[in-house]
Amino acid sequence: MEKKANISVLIPQDEVEAKIRELAEQISRDHEGETLHLICILKGGAYFMTELSKYMTIPVTVGFMSLSSYGSGTESSGIVKITKDLDDNIEGRHVMVVEDIIDTGNTLSYLIDMLKTRKPASVELCTLLNKPERRVKEVQVDYYGFIVPDKFIVGYGLDWDQKYRNLPYIGAVDFE
Ligand code: IMP
Ligand code: MG
């Protein structure tokens, strides 16, 4: 049998759900009169984006993108490859990137600069989790759910070796 990781609950399910509803209401108020194009960063952002968009009261459209970041081991390097690009043209549209976590900032600083070259009307970033202690590249985070400590986080889209994305709470892996 495969060894199971020890995971402790960092943010319980009801708190995550309440925060996502709060974020959705805030974003809807701030974008009154606009149609927002949500760009989900796969795979981690999918859980957060579907939940977030359900509670938004302005018109939204959705798109998906997949990125891979080359680095040594677990550290992202800032060299980012687009493995699945958007299907839609974003020129002139109000865009919001929806991500699971901003850690070093390498991935998103690259992505935001790249999206800007496609001339959207605006680009914002909304992340469920923010780990500012680990930031290497500056990224403007317009909306976030929670600040998390420098621990290895799983659940609500975040994986450890592709597992645990489906946990309905935010957990931290205890490495003994
Ligand atoms: P970056 O370091 O900000 O470029 O983050 C790159 C990606 O690493 C994030 O989008 C996550 O998918 C992943 N990541 C960063 N921190 C964690 C973590 O604590 N748990 C699981 N995945 C993480
Ligand atoms: Mg990710």
Side-chain angles (χ1 to χ4, degrees):
M1 259 260 292
E2 215 178 319
K3 213 176 147 226
K4 256 195 114 199
N6 258 331
I7 296 166
S8 42
V9 178
L10 207 59
I11 309 162
Q13 181 173 2
D14 58 339
E15 281 180 38
V16 182
E17 289 174 356
K19 179 66 80 175
I20 294 175
R21 281 197 292 275
E22 208 180 281
L23 275 175
E25 285 160 17
Q26 182 68 49
I27 294 167
S28 301
R29 273 197 300 276
D30 295 350
H31 294 268
E32 189 77 60
E34 285 174 16
T35 297
L36 254 193
H37 187 57
L38 303 176
I39 297 179
C40 170
I41 308 303
L42 294 169
K43 305 169 185 164
Y47 296 74
F48 175 42
M49 192 193 74
T50 50
E51 181 91 1
L52 181 75
S53 61
K54 277 194 287 186
Y55 297 106
M56 288 174 61
T57 53
I58 53 168
V60 298
T61 53
V62 297
F64 297 86
M65 209 172 190
S66 195
L67 309 168
S68 73
S69 161
Y70 290 120
S72 49
T74 55
E75 296 295 311
S76 69
S77 60
I79 304 166
V80 179
K81 191 180 158 205
I82 296 171
T83 52
K84 187 224 174 295
D85 205 342
L86 298 171
D87 299 322
D88 315 294
N89 189 345
I90 58 167
E91 189 174 341
R93 299 167 77 173
H94 294 288
V95 162
M96 182 173 282
V97 175
V98 182
E99 181 51 315
D100 52 2
I101 188 166
I102 310 299
D103 184 35
T104 64
N106 278 327
T107 312
L108 263 290
S109 74
Y110 167 85
L111 180 68
I112 299 285
D113 287 349
M114 192 280 285
L115 291 176
K116 282 180 180 164
T117 67
R118 299 183 183 183
K119 303 192 169 35
S122 62
V123 192
E124 288 183 311
L125 171 60
C126 177
T127 182
L128 179 59
L129 305 176
N130 192 0
K131 219 195 253 180
E133 269 179 66
R134 295 249 310 158
R135 203 73 94 247
V136 172
K137 286 253 178 69
E138 203 187 311
V139 196
Q140 186 179 320
V141 177
D142 299 288
Y143 299 93
Y144 68 86
F146 302 94
I147 300 261
V148 288
D150 185 8
K151 290 185 174 171
F152 198 85
I153 312 292
V154 290
Y156 241 97
L158 291 108
D159 71 300
W160 182 34
D161 200 15
Q162 295 301 327
K163 293 191 281 282
Y164 308 108
R165 292 190 195 275
N166 60 316
L167 294 179
Y169 56 85
I170 305 290
V173 180
D174 302 318
F175 295 100
E176 269 119 272

